[in-house]
Amino acid sequence: MTLTAERVSMTFGGLVALDDVTLAVPGNRITGLIGPNGAGKTTLFNCLTGLYAPTSGRILLDGRPLAADPAQAMRGGVARTFQNIRLFPGMSALDNVLVGRHTRIKQGLLAALLHGPGFRKSEAAATERARAELEFVGLGPEGHMPARSLAYGDQRRLEIARALAGDPAVLMLDEPTAGMNGTETADISALITAIRDRGIAVVVIEHDTKFIFSLCDHVYVLVRGRMLVDGPPATVRTDPRVIEAYLGATECSK
Amino acid sequence: MLVGALLPWASTVLPGGAYPDRATLQFFDAPHLVSGFRLHLVLLGVLAALLSRARKPAGIGVAVIALVHMGFLIGLGAPSIGGPVALAGGLLLMWPGLTAPAPELKPPGPAVARLVLLVAFAALVWLVSETLTAGGQSRATNPYGGAEFLAFCGLVLALACALSAYGVLAWLAALTDRHRFFAFSVMLVCALALPFTDAGTGYWMTVASTIGVYAATAIGLNIVVGLAGLLDLGYVAFLGIGAFTAANLAHVVPFPVAALAGTATAGILGIVVGAPTLRVRGDYLAIVTLAFGEIFFRAAQNNIGGLTGGANSIPGIPPISMFGHAFDKPLGVLPAGSLYYAVTVVMVAVAMVMLVNLRHSRTGRAWAAIREDEDVARAMGVRTGRAKILAFLVGSMMAGLAGAVFAHKLGTVGYESFDFSESVTLLAAVVLGGMGTVPGAVVGASLLFVLPEKLREFSDYRLMLFGLALILIMRFRPRGLVSS
């Protein structure tokens, strides 16, 4: 399964957030998306997951256009996490994951009211799957805990488990290691590789270039709304334009 | 600490001096008789002396009783000696503030667990019956009814705190959760047995079934506010829509059809109100629903379409009648009104099952997700608009059904039963009881609709006391009396 953005532009009033961006996410690969702050990375994510309708251009999932409707994107197999953790804080970890599975559960309202055998079967299957995802990200024993009382790193993992529960073909991670130390970053790195090994394409936004270059199969560099360079990590790392964009930006901010 | 434990005892001995004749509270009229206030204080004193963990709860109870007692004596223009002494005793008992956490009790085997649940619910019904009847029916029969009732509440509060301090309440909750079906059946049977207790008179049955109607409505509101997090300030309008629909149809069709029609009409209007509010959230949603409630209220007041009777209200609604028996007549040994009580009990039970079942389903989780973070819920594939309309639909249908029973039970439906303060009271019931919890709405509704009945002498201060109670609850139990 491939997710592609075809010449996508997005403007908010007079502000051009994305300008003619084209990107392809092949299955079974880890794709990195880097760029300075305000480059439009999260806006691109929002377009790819159906939260925003691009001003022009198309989002295609396996060649079929994807409507600007997150429910349809989830059903189609595009799931995501958020830059600043956005769990359902008052719900248990398990219920958070079950909400991630929302589009895959078939239950009528009447069945939900009466709790018949069919309902119980579907509920048991969903719960089993949700538990398996919690186990997968390393939160097996934490299922009953309210999401808000989990440790910071565990909350990041829970967000990933919630996204995985929707049976995604493409998993989009918005800064999964923000605010983590070296050990935790390495753990997340291993987790992302394990997700790829399940046959799920992963897209990662990160500021930590070392993390991106060691993890990704292909890297896109977005600067001020435009796709500057893309290619394998080794080429991108040494590209003079990337170095200028990054170091230049760093110099300016000093 | 020992002095503290003994002080409430002292207070039972102290009074008995020169009190005016008017002060004929049981506390004084028979210096050596152990009953009423005195009995409560003695019980709490014994509790405090024997059980170390129960000292603080006993102190709270003693303080409450002493305050009530003093307040009433001052109201009667009499000084109180025993009161301040008991208050001091209560405060002293509370002072050490035993902070040891409640012990965890092991769950027993299924047979024992069932027996315990049976006893617990039977005791609960007995307690409800005693609470209802404490202090008599009204001021006319017992001038100290309010004081006796409040003092009894103090005792109940102390007992509840004491049980909680020993971890018994948490243990019972765990048992209920484990044997959910059994517990629910026992609860239903026990609730239906209320007419056989002290509360089994026509008067108390009427009060109890009114509470039942409001409890069912509060559960419906709990779906909208507690589960889906949609603040609805005009909710009582749906109760009114159900009531007026049933009232208009009462002479034409039998009750079940009228009830169904009331439910359906309220449901349709729930969608009509819900659909345009999909674009507004939080405060704005509250304002829109408030406006809807007001539109309904004014329309009913002005008898628009001739459907509400306006200021004349709709009188002469026949009682529910089935199998040739009118529900407002006594049945065998059962007092009049018992059948209405049974209807409302069944209605509340159905509403409870609905709430629990919905909460543990895909729909219920979607509502919770919308309540917690609507944008993320949408990003996770929840059709938020559809889910919100569904919440409005289910909630308003519940209120519509309750309204139909309400109309038949009262025999008269007037617009003034559905003003803004009723919406606020229902909302307060949900918040007081505990948002999103099942017993919460019932406990909240019972409190808020029993208290005014019990404390008629305070009716001028009703809203002030409401406010005070809300502040106290928010301070000490921010997640409601029965938090999940």
Side-chain angles (χ1 to χ4, degrees):
Chain A
M1 190 165 280
T2 353
L3 180 67
T4 47
E6 241 181 44
R7 311 202 59 180
V8 167
S9 296
M10 181 90 207
T11 54
F12 296 102
L15 180 81
V16 181
L18 291 176
D19 184 9
D20 203 18
V21 170
T22 298
L23 156 149
V25 181
N28 264 328
R29 290 280 184 281
I30 301 174
T31 306
L33 181 59
I34 59 171
N37 281 330
K41 303 183 294 289
T42 300
T43 306
L44 182 58
F45 253 43
N46 286 344
C47 289
L48 287 169
T49 50
L51 276 176
Y52 291 167
T55 317
S56 69
R58 296 191 301 169
I59 308 293
L60 300 170
L61 186 65
D62 262 354
R64 282 194 312 267
L66 194 68
D69 171 14
Q72 209 184 316
M74 271 302 267
R75 238 177 263 272
V78 184
R80 70 171 297 175
T81 66
F82 295 85
Q83 184 175 351
N84 14 26
I85 302 175
R86 287 181 78 174
L87 290 162
F88 305 116
M91 299 167 76
S92 72
L94 183 67
D95 279 348
N96 266 274
V97 182
L98 280 166
V99 172
R101 199 157 176 75
H102 185 81
T103 52
R104 307 292 177 206
I105 304 175
K106 302 262 176 293
Q107 284 173 9
L109 182 63
L110 209 62
L113 279 174
L114 301 175
H115 277 209
F119 172 89
R120 272 184 237 162
K121 205 186 279 176
S122 110
E123 194 71 3
T127 310
E128 194 185 326
R129 174 63 196 278
R131 283 195 192 288
E133 292 301 351
L134 281 174
E135 199 75 49
F136 179 75
V137 300
L139 290 175
E142 264 80 35
H144 62 280
M145 298 258 286
R148 73 157 63 83
S149 59
L150 290 178
Y152 178 82
D154 288 348
Q155 295 199 4
R156 287 250 175 237
R157 287 164 179 278
L158 180 56
E159 257 207 330
I160 295 176
R162 180 177 67 182
L164 283 173
D167 284 343
V170 183
L171 176 66
M172 323 251 308
L173 305 174
D174 199 343
E175 298 197 28
T177 66
M180 288 186 168
N181 65 29
T183 337
E184 290 166 326
T185 305
D187 288 348
I188 290 288
S189 184
L191 181 62
I192 292 174
T193 315
I195 293 169
R196 194 235 357 237
D197 292 345
R198 277 170 61 172
I200 299 169
V202 184
V203 189
V204 190
I205 291 182
E206 251 317 331
H207 280 297
D208 184 347
T209 43
K210 216 171 83 191
F211 173 81
I212 286 282
F213 289 138
S214 66
L215 181 74
C216 298
D217 303 305
H218 196 93
V219 179
Y220 286 87
V221 184
L222 199 61
V223 177
R224 277 187 231 102
R226 302 190 72 103
M227 200 57 91
L228 190 66
V229 191
D230 78 274
T235 354
V236 172
R237 192 189 343 220
T238 51
D239 193 299
R241 287 170 296 175
V242 177
I243 294 169
E244 192 205 318
Y246 257 82
L247 293 182
T250 322
E251 289 299 328
C252 285
S253 66
K254 268 183 187 167
Chain B
M1 192 183 282
L2 205 71
V3 176
L6 287 174
L7 264 176
W9 285 77
S11 71
T12 65
V13 183
L14 271 177
Y19 287 101
D21 288 344
R22 289 178 295 169
T24 52
L25 279 167
Q26 277 168 305
F27 211 79
F28 307 101
D29 58 359
H32 301 292
L33 192 71
V34 179
S35 73
F37 287 90
R38 194 178 291 251
L39 173 67
H40 298 159
L41 287 181
V42 168
L43 279 177
L44 288 174
V46 173
L47 198 68
L50 292 183
L51 304 170
S52 62
R53 276 175 191 279
R55 245 166 231 159
K56 194 172 181 183
I60 296 173
V62 169
V64 169
I65 294 174
L67 276 177
V68 169
H69 156 72
M70 275 162 64
F72 266 79
L73 278 192
I74 289 166
L76 289 168
S80 160
I81 297 176
V85 175
L87 182 63
L91 292 179
L92 261 177
L93 274 176
M94 283 158 70
W95 191 283
L98 229 159
T99 45
E104 285 228 5
L105 299 171
K106 277 198 207 116
V112 181
R114 280 169 194 202
L115 193 71
V116 166
L117 283 175
L118 200 65
V119 173
F121 281 116
L124 187 66
V125 168
W126 176 77
L127 203 63
V128 166
S129 139
E130 288 299 308
T131 314
L132 266 181
T133 51
Q137 282 189 12
S138 66
R139 201 168 186 173
T141 53
N142 180 354
Y144 308 113
E148 280 180 29
F149 172 73
L150 281 180
F152 190 76
C153 285
L155 179 71
V156 172
L157 179 74
L159 287 180
C161 289
L163 285 177
S164 163
Y166 275 90
V168 176
L169 285 188
W171 181 64
L172 280 176
L175 283 188
T176 311
D177 201 44
R178 186 171 296 219
H179 304 277
R180 212 174 291 154
F181 185 74
F182 180 79
F184 183 74
S185 321
V186 170
M187 194 176 64
L188 190 59
V189 171
C190 285
L192 286 173
L194 188 65
F196 298 104
T197 65
D198 283 353
T201 67
Y203 176 79
W204 291 118
M205 282 298 109
T206 308
V207 171
S209 48
T210 306
I211 294 169
V213 167
Y214 283 113
T217 317
I219 293 176
L221 182 62
N222 209 354
I223 291 177
V224 182
V225 180
L227 292 192
L230 305 166
L231 187 52
D232 190 341
L233 289 180
Y235 186 69
V236 84
F238 297 113
L239 185 72
I241 289 162
F244 282 121
T245 309
N248 279 300
L249 294 174
H251 293 283
V252 193
V253 294
F255 169 71
V257 182
L260 219 61
T263 310
T265 314
I268 292 167
L269 278 160
I271 295 179
V272 170
V273 179
T277 61
L278 289 183
R279 301 178 71 86
V280 291
R281 289 183 191 180
D283 311 354
Y284 301 98
L285 176 67
I287 302 258
V288 173
T289 53
L290 174 71
F292 167 72
E294 204 55 22
I295 290 170
F296 172 79
F297 181 72
R298 297 294 162 204
Q301 187 179 30
N302 294 314
N303 195 12
I304 288 180
L307 293 169
T308 65
N312 298 324
S313 67
I314 301 183
I317 302 164
I320 302 177
S321 181
M322 267 191 241
F323 311 113
H325 188 87
F327 274 32
D328 59 341
K329 300 277 182 300
L331 177 71
V333 292
L334 295 173
S338 305
L339 287 173
Y340 276 122
Y341 172 71
V343 168
T344 58
V345 165
V346 171
M347 188 166 69
V348 169
V350 169
M352 276 178 155
V353 171
M354 263 177 49
L355 183 74
V356 172
N357 281 2
L358 279 175
R359 195 171 57 179
H360 299 287
S361 76
R362 176 178 181 265
T363 311
R365 285 189 297 268
W367 286 338
I370 290 172
R371 182 190 67 211
E372 300 279 328
D373 191 331
E374 188 168 340
D375 296 321
V376 180
R378 208 166 83 84
M380 289 299 129
V382 175
R383 302 250 184 228
T384 50
R386 208 181 286 176
K388 279 156 84 174
I389 288 198
L390 195 62
F392 275 115
L393 173 72
V394 175
S396 55
M397 281 172 73
M398 197 62 242
L401 177 64
V405 176
F406 185 71
H408 282 272
K409 191 180 87 68
L410 284 184
T412 311
V413 184
Y415 71 93
E416 65 281 351
S417 308
F418 310 110
D419 70 348
F420 177 59
S421 77
E422 295 292 317
S423 279
V424 171
T425 309
L426 279 169
L427 195 64
V430 171
V431 175
L432 276 177
M435 292 239 259
T437 65
V438 187
V442 179
V443 171
S446 310
L447 277 181
L448 289 188
F449 291 95
V450 170
L451 290 183
E453 191 67 35
K454 280 296 190 182
L455 304 172
R456 286 189 186 279
E457 44 269 73
F458 290 128
S459 53
D460 296 346
Y461 307 103
R462 187 173 144 193
L463 284 174
M464 194 184 84
L465 291 174
F466 260 23
L468 197 66
L470 270 176
I471 291 171
L472 285 177
I473 297 244
M474 289 303 116
R475 168 63 186 81
F476 293 104
R477 295 211 60 132
R479 308 199 60 190
L481 287 173
V482 189
S483 57
S484 46

